[in-house]
Amino acid sequence: MKRMRSVWLAVFTALIFIGLLTTHSSALTILTSALSFPGVFLNGYDQSVLGVTSAWQVDATSEAGGWNAAISATEFTNGFGGVISVSNFEFRLADANISLVSGDPVLPNSTQTSYTPLSGTALKFISAASGTGDGVYDFLPEFRLTVPAETYVGSYTSTITVSVNTGP
Amino acid sequence: MKKLKNINIVLVFVMLMLITVVVPAAAQSSAEVSFGIRPTKALEGEKETFSYFSYRVSPGSIFNDEALVLNDGNETVILKLYVADGLTAINGGTDFSKEGEESSGISRGTHSWISLSETEVVLAPGEEKLIPFQVSIPADASAGQYIAGLIAQAVPEDQNLSSEETSSAEGEAQFAVKLIRRVGVAVVMNVPGEQVASLNIDDISLYRQDEAGTTFSIQLRNGGNTFMQSKGFFIVTDRNAERIITTIPLNFDTILPGDKATFYVPQAARFADGKYLLSVVLDYEGQRAILEGIGMNIKNGQPELEGQMLNNLFAPEEIEVFFEKEEKSEGFLWTTIAILSFILALFVGWFVYRSGGKKEEADPIF
């Protein structure tokens, strides 16, 4: 009788394990939040404004082979020939702005902790080496836009591409 | 009594496992659109294949596989699917070209080696779909490690990150940012043959010096046909190379074969006015890449680079010392962790012995 109970307990535990593995079979993904910049009253001088966003999230549950996320951007254009160079659009992610939601307590690293201009070439900004980063992580990126003195009045739009990747 | 104790242990174990399942699921449930793409199977002994596709292939070979695309968010999602060339991001690491663009390394054009059975899928919350694809390796592909990527991209591709998107007030400029969000999984195709490892440091430049510190940028080129990671040091000396002012450890992520990549190296400190020499020493695949003696002159806080002023600054044995020091410090860290773990194990053993070891007889079953 005791043996039977032990067997049932072992089976129950194994089933829980299987369930754990099955329910954890998700895929790497990144979630972003809205980003906005305040309007700028043009006064003939260069002006910098900070972007406003809330936490973004990478879900790398079961992702043990390493991963990274990268960002690129286009110029700000107003549709009437007005352009603000993408080099005026800067990005950074402080290590202190990365936090654990669940999973591996070894946090992924920011690879861009100081402001750097975005460009059409992807900038890797967060990564986890192989064997780490198996979890869900929140992070708060920071954006800064320098509006040149010679900017024309209007509504400007830029497009950013955020990729989260697995690979060597 | 003993049986109860065992059942309690199992229950605690089960509770812990349930927590590890429920917490991420709860975290995820706050998401609106969440999607991914990944391999469906892994190869024994090749743990990377849990995360991305990796094949040993012959020129001219054709084979089939499939990827799993899934919507693990709580909204229906339309995903655009396409194949992209592998490329190296700024700061290293694998990224993929944008749709319709090509990369510049040896992976250029690899997007055309793979054909997907579908280019768009609509997935309800929790729905998954297998996407078969075919890989055709060109008959003239030379030896090397090629990378393409399978990309899942949200459609409509812009999640509006609006600024105050109203009409401009007089004298005002307003800004809006649109977002393209995508997930990429690498398809690594290893064509057998001679493996060439070659890494060049093309340039060192001073990227910025401001109140936050100094940032240098280093341009590297992978001239070989294999993925390349490297470790080493950024060394700043005085102009006569008699005194080392600072060394910054470097740990550079993957550069794909044939790619050039820029790495930013931040330094919290500002450099005082004066003349300096900058050098970079990297170790890769048991070889060394060195660029040394780049002059930097800072006048009134404004730095400028002056090109290569000196060569052969460091003798090979001096360079060796840098790496030995680093290895020693790493060794010290692991020794400390091992000693602390041992002490902790002793403490736990003692605690278990003291609290439960002499209370009951051993159960014949448990």
Side-chain angles (χ1 to χ4, degrees):
Chain A
M1 192 64 185
K2 278 181 184 175
R3 266 201 189 113
M4 280 301 288
R5 274 188 203 142
S6 303
V7 169
W8 281 117
L9 273 172
V11 168
F12 182 61
T13 309
L15 284 173
I16 291 291
F17 252 126
I18 290 164
L20 181 75
L21 291 173
T22 307
T23 52
H24 264 203
S25 62
S26 59
L28 179 69
T29 191
I30 189 165
L31 303 165
T32 53
S33 301
L35 166 69
S36 64
F37 285 99
V40 173
F41 181 77
L42 301 169
N43 59 8
Y45 295 95
D46 288 0
Q47 298 176 77
S48 287
V49 285
L50 297 178
V52 179
T53 187
S54 52
W56 295 17
Q57 188 178 81
V58 167
D59 183 348
T61 307
S62 305
E63 204 60 70
W67 53 269
N68 73 64
I71 184 169
S72 61
T74 63
E75 294 174 326
F76 277 89
T77 56
N78 68 358
F80 300 99
V83 175
I84 297 175
S85 168
V86 66
S87 62
N88 288 27
F89 189 12
E90 297 176 289
F91 173 92
R92 75 175 177 188
L93 174 62
D95 275 317
N97 285 357
I98 302 173
S99 59
L100 174 71
V101 177
S102 62
D104 185 354
V106 179
L107 298 177
N109 294 313
S110 167
T111 52
Q112 194 56 56
T113 54
S114 59
Y115 274 119
T116 195
L118 294 171
S119 68
T121 305
L123 169 78
K124 186 182 75 174
F125 62 90
I126 188 170
S127 68
S130 180
T132 69
D134 172 2
V136 182
Y137 304 93
D138 276 348
F139 60 95
L140 183 63
E142 296 170 273
F143 294 86
R144 183 168 70 185
L145 177 65
T146 300
V147 182
E150 62 274 16
T151 300
Y152 290 106
V153 167
S155 295
Y156 292 79
T157 304
S158 170
T159 301
I160 60 177
T161 301
V162 179
S163 307
V164 61
N165 307 308
T166 56
Chain B
M1 191 64 188
K2 187 77 176 175
K3 268 185 283 178
L4 267 175
K5 203 173 172 183
N6 283 321
I7 288 167
N8 283 341
I9 288 168
V10 172
L11 284 176
V12 167
F13 184 57
V14 168
M15 289 293 285
L16 282 173
M17 287 197 295
L18 284 175
I19 287 168
T20 62
V21 174
V22 168
V23 169
Q28 197 171 280
S29 66
S30 63
E32 291 179 349
V33 175
S34 176
F35 59 91
I37 182 167
R38 64 175 172 83
T40 54
K41 50 188 173 287
L43 302 176
E44 198 177 337
E46 296 178 39
K47 67 174 182 176
E48 72 277 10
T49 56
F50 281 99
S51 298
Y52 56 87
F53 300 92
S54 182
Y55 309 107
R56 289 189 187 86
V57 297
S58 306
S61 60
I62 297 174
F63 56 94
N64 299 304
D65 202 344
E66 56 191 12
L68 184 73
V69 180
L70 61 154
N71 175 6
D72 49 7
N74 49 20
E75 276 187 10
T76 296
V77 63
I78 304 169
L79 295 175
K80 183 189 282 187
L81 305 175
Y82 60 93
V83 186
D85 293 353
L87 54 81
T88 308
I90 296 171
N91 291 329
T94 303
D95 193 26
F96 305 103
S97 60
K98 295 188 178 77
E99 188 180 18
E101 295 182 6
E102 288 197 326
S103 64
S104 58
I106 75 165
S107 293
R108 179 178 182 154
T110 49
H111 70 275
S112 63
W113 297 10
I114 299 172
S115 52
L116 287 167
S117 60
E118 293 183 53
T119 56
E120 189 171 292
V121 289
V122 181
L123 298 176
E127 191 180 354
E128 323 179 317
K129 189 167 188 186
L130 288 172
I131 306 293
F133 61 90
Q134 186 172 72
V135 183
S136 308
I137 309 297
D140 59 352
S142 53
Q145 295 181 305
Y146 298 84
I147 292 192
L150 305 183
I151 310 294
Q153 183 172 304
V155 173
E157 54 189 33
D158 35 61
Q159 172 191 345
N160 245 340
L161 305 178
S162 64
S163 138
E164 294 104 45
E165 231 179 333
T166 54
S167 58
S168 299
E170 198 174 332
E172 199 174 69
Q174 295 191 328
F175 308 96
V177 182
K178 293 180 179 176
L179 179 79
I180 294 174
R181 187 155 56 102
R182 60 184 205 163
V183 179
V185 57
V187 180
V188 178
M189 295 159 282
N190 294 288
V191 177
E194 189 188 1
Q195 304 281 297
V196 180
S198 168
L199 185 67
N200 299 291
I201 306 168
D202 283 348
D203 196 15
I204 306 169
S205 57
L206 183 75
Y207 176 66
R208 163 181 290 176
Q209 175 155 276
D210 56 21
E211 67 283 351
T214 310
T215 303
F216 297 96
S217 75
I218 300 172
Q219 275 78 45
L220 299 184
R221 182 164 41 90
N222 180 353
N225 61 6
T226 61
F227 310 132
M228 193 60 63
Q229 294 176 324
S230 56
K231 279 185 171 187
F233 299 93
F234 188 93
I235 306 158
V236 182
T237 65
D238 65 1
R239 183 52 68 91
N240 300 319
E242 289 168 350
R243 187 169 64 92
I244 291 175
I245 292 164
T246 186
T247 59
I248 306 169
L250 305 173
N251 194 347
F252 288 150
D253 201 354
T254 307
I255 306 179
L256 272 52
D259 275 6
K260 293 178 180 175
T262 299
F263 291 82
Y264 292 119
V265 179
Q267 161 81 347
R270 281 170 63 95
F271 286 88
D273 283 4
K275 293 186 173 184
Y276 305 89
L277 289 176
L278 311 177
S279 303
V280 171
V281 180
L282 293 173
D283 185 285
Y284 68 96
E285 301 286 324
Q287 300 177 55
R288 292 277 152 79
I290 301 171
L291 180 61
E292 51 188 353
I294 304 295
M296 178 175 73
N297 185 10
I298 300 181
K299 204 186 279 182
N300 300 323
Q302 297 300 312
E304 61 179 50
L305 290 176
E306 302 169 311
Q308 193 164 28
M309 313 288 286
L310 277 177
N311 210 349
N312 300 320
L313 242 64
F314 304 105
E317 54 272 20
E318 286 178 301
I319 291 170
E320 208 55 49
V321 170
F322 286 117
F323 287 95
E324 280 171 9
K325 272 186 190 168
E326 183 70 4
E327 278 166 15
K328 272 182 192 166
S329 65
E330 277 178 16
F332 176 76
L333 175 70
W334 286 111
T335 308
T336 307
I337 290 171
I339 291 169
L340 288 175
S341 304
F342 180 69
I343 292 169
L344 185 67
L346 279 179
F347 177 76
V348 170
W350 174 83
F351 181 77
V352 168
Y353 173 76
R354 292 283 299 181
S355 58
K358 50 192 173 183
K359 278 184 186 165
E360 294 181 39
E361 289 173 26
D363 189 296
I365 300 298
F366 284 94

